[in-house]
C-alpha cells in the first residue's frame, strides 16, 4: 500500500504536509462512499 | 542570445527559490509569534492560579478530528510505542501550529485580518532584523489587492 | 542585456543568501525559545481552547502526543482511512478531548 510518511513529535513545521493529507482524505471520502453509504466528512475546524 | 536565454532561465529559478525561502521565513515568524503569544497568554492567566489538572495539552502535539459518528478501530502495542487507527469515515490531521493560528495566536497575520495594533504587537515579538518581514505579511494582502502593480523581480526578492 | 542579467543575478544571489541566514537564525532562535524552561511550562493549550475550535457536539477530537522522530504513516485514502503511528524514543500518548 502506498503510504504518506510524516515525522511527528517535533515542535512545529508539519502543517503543510497535513494540509495535503487532509485534502486527499476528504476527496477520497466522497469517492469511497459513492452510492449507499453516507459520507460523513469531518467538520472543518473554526478560526477564531 | 543563447547566453542571455540561459541567464534568464537561471534568474527565474533563483526568483522562485527566493519566493519559497521568503514564505518559509514568514512561516517561522508566524510560529514564533504564535508561540510567544500563547506563552504570554498562559502566564497572564496563571496569575490567577495554575490551570486545572488534566485540562492542558503541552506542545508539541497533533490533533485528529473526525465526525462523532465515525467508528475508530484502534490497536495499541503493549509498550504504547505503536498505534494503528482504522476509521470508517474521513478524518483531518492538524498540528499545533495550525491550531495556534486558528486560536488567533498569530494575530491574523496569515489571513490578512491583522489590525495595526496587532501588527505592532507582532513586530515586538520578533527580532528587529525581521520586523519588515512581519510588515510584509501585513501589507502582502494589500499587495494582492493591488494586483495591478508590477513589482520588479528584485523588489519581490 | 547579458551584462544586465549577470548584475541582476548577483543581486538575487545576495538576496537569497540573506534569506538563508535569516531562516537559520530564526530556526535556532525558535528552538531555544521552545526549550527555554520558563516558556516550556506555559507552552500548552487547554481542552477549552480545542473545544473553541472543534465543535465537540459534532466532532471527535483525538490528541496525539509523541516523542521526537515518531513516524506517522497515513494509508492511501483510496484504499482505507488508516493511520499508523510508531515511536522509537518512548511511549505515545493518545487521548480524546472531553466534551465538556
Amino acid at each position: 500500500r502506498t503510504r504518506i510518511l510524516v515525522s511527528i513529535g517535533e515542535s512545529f513545521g508539519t502543517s503543510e504536509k497535513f494540509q495535503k493529507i487532509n485534502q486527499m482524505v476528504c476527496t477520497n471520502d466522497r469517492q469511497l462512499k459513492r452510492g449507499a453509504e453516507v459520507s460523513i466528512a469531518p467538520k472543518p475546524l473554526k478560526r477564531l | 542570445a543563447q547566453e542571455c536565454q540561459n541567464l534568464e532561465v537561471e534568474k527565474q529559478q533563483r526568483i522562485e527559490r527566493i519566493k519559497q525561502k521568503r514564505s518559509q521565513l514568514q512561516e517561522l515568524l508566524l510560529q514564533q509569534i504564535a508561540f510567544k503569544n500563547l506563552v504570554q497568554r498562559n502566564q497572564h492567566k496563571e496569575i490567577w492560579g495554575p490551570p486545572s489538572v488534566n485540562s492542558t495539552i503541552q506542545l508539541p502535539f497533533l490533533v485528529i478530528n473526525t465526525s462523532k459518528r465515525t467508528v475508530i478501530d484502534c490497536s495499541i502495542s503493549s509498550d504504547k510505542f505503536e498505534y494503528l487507527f482504522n476509521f470508517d469515515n474521513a478524518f483531518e490531521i492538524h498540528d499545533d501550529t495550525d491550531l495556534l493560528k486558528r486560536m488567533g495566536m498569530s494575530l491574523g497575520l496569515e489571513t490578512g485580518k491583522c489590525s495595526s495594533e496587532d501588527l505592532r504587537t507582532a513586530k515586538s515579538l520578533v527580532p528587529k532584523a525581521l520586523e519588515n518581514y512581519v510588515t510584509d505579511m501585513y501589507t502582502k494582502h494589500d499587495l494582492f489587492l493591488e494586483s495591478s502593480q508590477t513589482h520588479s523581480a528584485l523588489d519581490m526578492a | 542585456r547579458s551584462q544586465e542579467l549577470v548584475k541582476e543575478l548577483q543581486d538575487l544571489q545576495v538576496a537569497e543568501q540573506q534569506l538563508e541566514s535569516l531562516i537559520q537564525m530564526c530556526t535556532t532562535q525558535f528552538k531555544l525559545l521552545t526549550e527555554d524552561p520558563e516558556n516550556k511550562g506555559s507552552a500548552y493549550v487547554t481542552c477549552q481552547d480545542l473545544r473553541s475550535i472543534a465543535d465537540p457536539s459534532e466532532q471527535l477530537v483525538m490528541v496525539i502526543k509523541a516523542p521526537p522522530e515518531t513516524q506517522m504513516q497515513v494509508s492511501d485514502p483510496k484504499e482505507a482511512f488508516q493511520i499508523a503511528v510508531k515511536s522509537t524514543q518512548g511511549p505515545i500518548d493518545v487521548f480524546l478531548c472531553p466534551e465538556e
Side-chain angles (χ1 to χ4, degrees):
Chain A
R1 273 185 183 171
T2 51
R3 289 175 180 279
I4 309 151
L5 201 56
V6 186
S7 178
I8 61 174
E10 323 289 346
S11 256
F12 301 99
T14 45
S15 294
E16 222 168 275
K17 291 174 202 161
F18 292 132
Q19 279 156 21
K20 286 192 190 105
I21 291 172
N22 294 340
Q23 253 159 28
M24 280 178 68
V25 169
C26 283
T27 9
N28 282 289
D29 178 39
R30 281 189 287 282
Q31 283 161 13
L32 270 179
K33 292 289 175 66
R34 202 169 289 134
E37 286 178 276
V38 178
S39 85
I40 316 170
K43 198 172 161 187
L45 299 184
K46 293 175 209 161
R47 186 175 286 274
L48 305 182
Chain B
Q2 182 61 42
E3 188 190 329
C4 270
Q5 202 173 358
N6 296 344
L7 289 170
E8 278 291 352
V9 168
E10 190 186 337
K11 175 181 156 186
Q12 287 316 317
Q13 287 166 351
R14 201 172 281 273
I15 288 169
E16 216 30 61
R17 284 205 305 271
I18 284 174
K19 276 184 198 162
Q20 277 163 20
K21 286 186 170 113
R22 278 175 67 83
S23 54
Q24 188 186 349
L25 181 60
Q26 287 180 340
E27 180 60 26
L28 279 166
L29 287 171
L30 283 174
Q31 290 170 3
Q32 206 169 115
I33 291 165
F35 183 85
K36 284 184 174 177
N37 244 339
L38 177 75
V39 167
Q40 282 179 9
R41 180 203 74 164
N42 290 339
Q43 286 172 346
H44 187 73
K45 279 186 171 179
E46 283 155 14
I47 297 171
W48 283 281
S52 50
V53 179
N54 286 342
S55 77
T56 60
I57 301 146
Q58 214 64 34
L59 268 60
F61 63 87
L62 283 186
V63 156
I64 298 177
N65 67 291
T66 183
S67 159
K68 274 190 95 166
R69 285 181 283 162
T70 300
V71 175
I72 305 174
D73 172 32
C74 173
S75 337
I76 310 174
S77 64
S78 53
D79 59 4
K80 286 178 63 176
F81 274 48
E82 289 188 54
Y83 284 71
L84 181 65
F85 300 101
N86 274 296
F87 298 75
D88 71 345
N89 265 305
F91 54 80
E92 280 187 348
I93 309 175
H94 297 272
D95 71 348
D96 33 28
T97 318
D98 184 52
L99 290 176
L100 293 191
K101 288 178 188 172
R102 291 173 185 277
M103 286 163 55
M105 289 296 147
S106 53
L107 303 168
L109 274 167
E110 77 284 357
T111 55
K113 296 192 177 83
C114 178
S115 66
S116 44
E117 175 64 29
D118 283 341
L119 175 63
R120 264 194 298 278
T121 308
K123 285 166 75 171
S124 68
L125 295 172
V126 301
K128 211 123 191 72
L130 294 164
E131 277 185 9
N132 60 334
Y133 286 92
V134 176
T135 314
D136 270 6
M137 275 192 264
Y138 176 74
T139 50
K140 179 174 78 178
H141 295 278
D142 302 349
L143 280 188
F144 282 145
L145 299 178
E146 304 152 24
S147 53
S148 55
Q149 264 196 9
T150 49
H151 284 255
S152 85
L154 207 50
D155 290 358
M156 282 309 283
Chain C
R1 178 77 191 119
S2 159
Q3 280 162 9
E4 227 174 74
L5 279 167
V6 166
K7 174 75 178 66
E8 275 195 53
L9 273 169
Q10 282 160 358
D11 294 345
L12 287 172
Q13 184 165 15
V14 169
E16 188 174 4
Q17 281 160 358
Q18 266 172 0
L19 277 170
E20 272 162 6
S21 49
L22 288 174
I23 286 170
Q24 199 50 48
M25 177 184 92
C26 240
T27 307
T28 315
Q29 213 168 49
F30 189 69
K31 199 157 174 52
L32 296 173
L33 194 68
T34 51
E35 287 166 1
D36 176 347
E38 197 186 305
N39 291 332
K40 227 176 170 98
S42 300
Y44 58 80
V45 299
T46 63
C47 293
Q48 188 52 38
D49 289 325
L50 292 188
R51 281 193 291 269
S52 64
I53 297 173
D55 180 355
S57 61
E58 289 183 43
Q59 292 290 300
L60 198 97
V61 178
M62 190 195 303
V63 180
I64 297 182
K65 270 203 66 57
E69 276 134 59
T70 300
Q71 292 302 308
M72 172 182 264
Q73 286 185 347
V74 180
S75 290
D76 182 340
K78 287 190 188 63
E79 295 157 12
F81 295 134
Q82 187 184 79
I83 297 177
V85 189
K86 196 169 184 176
S87 157
T88 52
Q89 296 192 23
I92 300 165
D93 275 334
V94 177
F95 54 92
L96 293 181
C97 178
E99 222 175 290
E100 69 270 335

